[in-house]
């Protein structure tokens, strides 16, 4: 892994940590009851799950594009002809 990628990942992790801390501060500043440990665990699982789902879907999109699954099956002329027949 290159140094640039590692620094980018580190910056993203720091930003995510600061976001969670700011959210916790904001929650307390609103006068709401403090979050319990279970609340923080649920929040963490939700955030990590969302990030993993996003990464997985992006990986599938790139894999699909690189493997040729997104290529057209039939020539464009046939598709254009079918569209003209409908209208």
């Amino acid at each position: 892994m290159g140094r640039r990628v590692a620094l980018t990942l580190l910056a993203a992790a720091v930003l995510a940590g600061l976001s969670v801390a700011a959210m916790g501060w904001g929650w307390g500043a609103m006068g709401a009851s403090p979050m319990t440990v279970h609340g923080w665990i649920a929040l963490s699982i939700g955030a990590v799950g969302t990030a993993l789902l996003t990464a997985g879907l992006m990986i599938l999109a790139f894999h699909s594009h690189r493997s040729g699954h997104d290529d057209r099956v039939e020539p464009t002329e046939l598709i254009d002809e079918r569209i003209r027949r409908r209208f």
Side-chain angles (χ1 to χ4, degrees), residues 29-77:
M30 288 189 307
S33 61
M35 272 178 55
T36 63
V37 173
H38 294 98
W40 285 107
I41 291 171
L43 177 66
S44 300
I45 290 172
V48 169
T50 300
L52 289 175
L53 179 63
T54 302
L57 290 173
M58 287 303 297
I59 289 169
L60 286 174
F62 283 118
H63 174 68
S64 174
H65 176 70
R66 288 182 183 162
S67 65
H69 285 87
D70 293 335
D71 295 342
R72 289 200 179 268
V73 176
E74 51 189 323
T76 308
E77 296 84 26

Side-chain angles (χ1 to χ4, degrees), residues 3-37:
R3 176 172 268 184
R4 188 175 195 171
V5 173
L7 287 174
T8 303
L9 289 174
L10 178 64
V14 168
L15 184 62
L18 289 173
S19 297
V20 169
M23 188 171 39
W25 176 81
W27 184 268
M30 288 189 307
S33 61
M35 272 178 55
T36 63
V37 173

